[in-house]
């Protein structure tokens, strides 16, 4: 999802520091146990659960603080894995997933909270992080802090955060660890996984038991994925054949050519040009398709947005909620500044590091809702199939089989070795929102190493 709203910056986060019930010795990670107001009277006893909110002060930065939620498992926190969720954008808050997809709660129309049956905190201890800095509740109060614009800096920030997190919660160091996310997490997840493996191999810090990453409707290889958009739109009657032929002849070649230049030179200017050329596909599509929701072609947009997250912004900006979390800054779910800073990174191919991850027995799950246009299943399957790795031939020859949940077909899947691809029926860009039971079954089985069928 594209980030198109600026984030304001408070002067400090003293409220969290003052209210903190368990401050790390270095004060680099400041965390408090909290209880949301407006909770339902029925449901789990929150006092028995570990719900935390915190800020991590980035090293080598003047005042950059990364905000996160951490929810201990409702099931078996000692044995369930640790999961980190990375939302996309770039510049989208992790709170969207928390409240609309796979967190413990949904927000009702009256802004009260509802416990949900298929929250991923029922099978994991889950972290939602607002990153890069400037996203959601994350911020900096120092103008000299560099805005993140590349995967090296972003993955270093996340890796350093995880080191501090496990230092703060040593009881979870031996738990298996998984990276999950959607959309631009197709960039974030491979980069962070590689960074964790690098840190583990250096053997200088806490060893993180990384087992795999799962990305839903991700953007991983723009050069392969974006050229599939026009045909997908035509095939699903979002645009006319004449529109498709125009885009195929005039826009797709420029996108492909300029991405090749970006890949060849690696120069920022070439990559920004490639972004500009490729985003023309989406701009033309908008002119042809009108108000169709490109992340779920079954729906229309709400104003100029694909989804309405206004209740979340109202809820998180309530003073009672901010006091409970120990935050002061206004919450905005999208940050335009972050998105603009990342356009040189947008077209870079992040599947190039995945073969080494697979060789190291890191499990990779690519799942895609079939109603998403921008990060559609055709483009995702295409880059997965073309990726050069030891199991490429085996994956291409592996059969596609029905993806079943409780004996009912919910899509289809193919798997070979540590790589799994799943297309999920009747779901858009946000699979856990559209198909919560299916997504829950999928992630639970995949993390446990059980057959996904």
């Amino acid at each position: 999802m594209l980030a198109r709203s600026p984030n304001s910056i408070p002067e400090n986060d003293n409220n969290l520091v003052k209210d903190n019930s368990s401050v790390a010795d270095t004060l680099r990670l400041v965390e408090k146990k909290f209880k949301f107001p407006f909770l339902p009277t029925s449901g789990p006893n929150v006092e028995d659960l570990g719900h935390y909110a915190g800020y991590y002060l980035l090293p080598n930065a003047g005042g950059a603080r990364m905000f996160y939620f951490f929810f201990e498992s409702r099931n078996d926190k000692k044995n369930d894995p640790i999961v980190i969720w990375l939302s996309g954008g770039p510049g989208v808050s992790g709170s969207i997933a928390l409240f609309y997809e796979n967190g413990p709660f949904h927000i009702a129309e009256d802004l009260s909270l509802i416990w949900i049956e298929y929250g991923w905190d029922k099978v994991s201890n889950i972290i939602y992080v607002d990153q890069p800095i400037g996203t959601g509740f994350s911020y900096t109060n120092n103008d000299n802090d560099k805005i993140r614009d590349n995967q090296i800096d972003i993955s270093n920030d996340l890796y350093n955060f995880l080191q501090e997190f496990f230092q703060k919660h040593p009881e979870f160091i031996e738990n298996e660890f998984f990276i999950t996310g959607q959309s631009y997490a197709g960039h974030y997840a491979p980069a962070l996984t590689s960074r964790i493996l690098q840190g583990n191999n250096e053997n200088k810090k806490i060893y993180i038991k990384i087992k795999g990453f799962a990305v839903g409707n991700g953007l991983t290889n723009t050069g392969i994925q974006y050229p599939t958009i026009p045909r997908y739109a035509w095939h699903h009657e979002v645009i006319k054949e004449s529109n498709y032929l125009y885009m195929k002849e005039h826009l797709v070649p420029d996108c492909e050519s300029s991405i090749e230049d970006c890949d060849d030179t690696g120069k920022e200017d070439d990559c920004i040009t490639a972004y500009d050329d490729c985003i023309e596909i989406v701009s033309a599509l908008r002119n042809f398709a009108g108000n169709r929701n490109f992340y779920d072609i079954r729906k229309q947009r709400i104003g100029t947005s694909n989804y309405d997250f206004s209740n979340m912004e109202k809820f998180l900006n309530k003073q009672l909620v901010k006091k409970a979390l120990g935050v002061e800054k206004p919450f905005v779910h999208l940050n335009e500044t972050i998105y603009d800073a990342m356009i040189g990174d947008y077209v870079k191919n992040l599947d190039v590091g995945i073969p080494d991850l697979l060789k190291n027995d890191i499990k990779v799950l690519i799942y895609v809702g079939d109603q998403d246009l921008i990060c559609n299943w055709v483009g995702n399957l295409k880059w997965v199939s073309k990726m050069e790795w030891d199991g490429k031939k085996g994956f291409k020859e592996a059969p596609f089989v029905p993806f079943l949940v409780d004996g009912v077909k919910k899509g289809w899947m193919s798997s070979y070795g540590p790589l799994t691809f799943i297309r999920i029926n009747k779901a858009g860009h946000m699979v856990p929102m559209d198909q919560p039971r299916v997504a829950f079954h999928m992630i639970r089985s995949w993390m446990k190493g059980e057959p996904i069928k």
Side-chain angles (χ1 to χ4, degrees):
M1 284 169 279
L2 305 186
R4 282 288 179 251
S5 294
N7 240 341
S8 54
I9 297 174
E11 293 182 357
N12 56 57
D13 60 344
N14 289 336
N15 193 33
L16 183 58
V17 175
K18 287 187 297 183
D19 290 345
N20 170 56
S21 59
S22 54
V23 182
D25 293 338
T26 63
L27 291 181
R28 187 164 294 282
L29 190 150
V30 181
E31 180 184 89
K32 65 176 292 187
K33 193 171 183 179
F34 77 95
K35 177 181 178 180
F36 272 127
F38 315 114
L39 282 170
T41 54
S42 60
N45 183 358
V46 177
E47 306 300 336
D48 297 334
L49 301 174
H51 289 182
Y52 300 88
Y55 272 114
Y56 167 61
L57 176 62
L58 270 63
N60 304 317
R65 288 167 170 81
M66 182 183 293
F67 178 82
Y68 67 96
F69 286 103
F70 173 51
F71 299 95
E72 292 181 352
S73 173
R74 280 187 264 172
N75 173 49
D76 181 359
K77 70 178 184 179
K78 291 183 179 180
N79 296 303
D80 283 344
I82 299 286
V83 166
I84 188 171
W85 175 274
L86 305 175
S87 287
V92 171
S93 170
S95 292
I96 290 178
L98 193 169
F99 290 112
Y100 291 89
E101 298 189 77
N102 53 21
F105 311 106
H106 282 173
I107 300 174
E109 284 301 315
D110 64 357
L111 302 188
S112 64
L113 295 179
I114 303 169
W115 287 95
I116 65 170
E117 184 178 357
Y118 298 110
W120 289 10
D121 64 318
K122 282 190 167 184
V123 292
S124 71
N125 304 280
I126 190 164
I127 305 166
Y128 298 91
V129 60
D130 282 345
Q131 62 85 42
I133 295 301
T135 302
F137 279 130
S138 295
Y139 71 94
T140 180
N141 56 16
N142 190 320
D143 291 339
N144 293 321
D145 285 337
K146 178 179 178 289
I147 295 177
R148 298 314 192 209
D149 60 5
N150 64 85
Q151 293 304 316
I152 293 176
D153 288 343
I154 290 171
S155 59
N156 280 336
D157 288 346
L158 287 167
Y159 177 76
N160 290 330
F161 159 69
L162 289 171
Q163 288 293 315
E164 291 288 338
F165 174 85
F166 282 112
Q167 182 178 331
K168 178 64 185 169
H169 295 278
E171 68 273 23
F172 292 113
I173 290 176
E174 293 302 317
N175 295 51
E176 293 185 341
F177 183 80
F178 293 90
I179 299 167
T180 62
Q182 70 191 16
S183 196
Y184 211 73
H187 276 53
Y188 297 144
L192 178 57
T193 307
S194 296
R195 180 64 184 89
I196 290 173
L197 283 185
Q198 175 191 338
N200 287 348
N201 291 334
E202 290 172 353
N203 200 29
K204 294 179 180 178
K205 296 185 177 182
I206 293 173
Y207 186 95
I208 298 174
K209 295 183 69 174
I210 178 72
K211 296 298 180 181
F213 75 80
V215 173
N217 291 79
L219 181 67
T220 302
N221 188 327
T222 311
I224 290 178
Q225 291 180 249
Y226 260 53
T228 69
I229 293 174
R231 184 175 180 84
Y232 185 94
W234 170 46
H235 179 75
H236 287 81
E237 300 181 343
V238 175
I239 59 175
K240 299 176 181 178
E241 182 179 13
S242 59
N243 303 147
Y244 160 66
L245 293 174
Y246 169 81
M247 297 169 74
K248 179 183 177 183
E249 180 179 354
H250 296 285
L251 302 182
V252 169
D254 288 346
C255 174
E256 292 175 324
S257 175
S258 59
I259 285 184
E260 287 182 9
D261 292 340
C262 170
D263 290 341
D264 289 343
T265 69
K267 294 180 179 178
E268 184 77 0
D269 287 348
D270 289 337
C271 295
I272 291 174
T273 297
Y275 169 85
D276 290 338
D277 287 343
C278 292
I279 210 68
E280 280 297 314
I281 293 174
V282 180
S283 298
L285 197 65
R286 177 58 62 203
N287 290 333
F288 296 143
N291 206 39
R292 190 73 70 93
N293 183 338
F294 290 169
Y295 293 107
D296 190 333
I297 57 176
R298 299 169 297 181
K299 302 175 181 178
Q300 296 292 304
R301 290 197 300 174
I302 301 169
T304 59
S305 300
N306 289 295
Y307 298 99
D308 181 6
F309 299 125
S310 58
N311 280 347
M312 177 184 64
E313 289 198 340
K314 293 174 186 176
F315 177 82
L316 289 176
N317 280 309
K318 281 183 171 290
Q319 194 55 41
L320 280 175
V321 175
K322 293 169 72 173
K323 182 178 180 181
L325 299 178
V327 300
E328 294 182 356
K329 77 177 295 293
F331 175 85
V332 181
H333 78 273
L334 303 173
N335 188 329
E336 179 181 4
T337 303
I338 300 302
Y339 180 88
D340 290 343
M342 294 291 292
I343 61 175
D345 180 77
Y346 197 93
V347 300
K348 291 181 179 177
N349 177 14
L350 266 292
D351 77 24
V352 294
I354 297 177
D356 281 342
L357 303 180
L358 295 169
K359 187 179 294 186
N360 280 277
D361 292 324
I362 298 297
K363 299 196 298 183
V364 175
L365 169 62
I366 305 299
Y367 65 94
V368 193
D370 67 349
Q371 300 299 307
D372 184 3
L373 171 58
I374 300 299
C375 298
N376 61 72
W377 71 267
V378 177
N380 269 283
L381 178 58
K382 195 170 183 179
W383 78 254
V384 169
S385 300
K386 285 191 171 185
M387 181 173 60
E388 296 292 341
W389 65 293
D390 293 345
K392 178 180 180 180
K393 183 174 183 292
F395 180 82
K396 291 185 74 171
E397 293 176 352
F400 283 101
V401 298
F403 170 49
L404 304 177
V405 177
D406 297 331
V408 179
K409 182 181 177 181
K410 296 297 182 179
W412 49 259
M413 61 175 289
S414 182
S415 183
Y416 183 80
L419 178 62
T420 300
F421 179 91
I422 302 179
R423 169 185 160 177
I424 297 176
N425 295 339
K426 299 181 180 179
H429 193 70
M430 301 169 66
V431 171
M433 179 177 74
D434 294 336
Q435 296 289 344
R437 185 169 67 92
V438 173
F440 180 85
H441 168 88
M442 173 191 70
I443 202 70
R444 178 186 60 191
S445 300
W446 177 74
M447 289 193 302
K448 288 184 175 183
E450 298 174 351
I452 307 176
K453 60 181 183 179

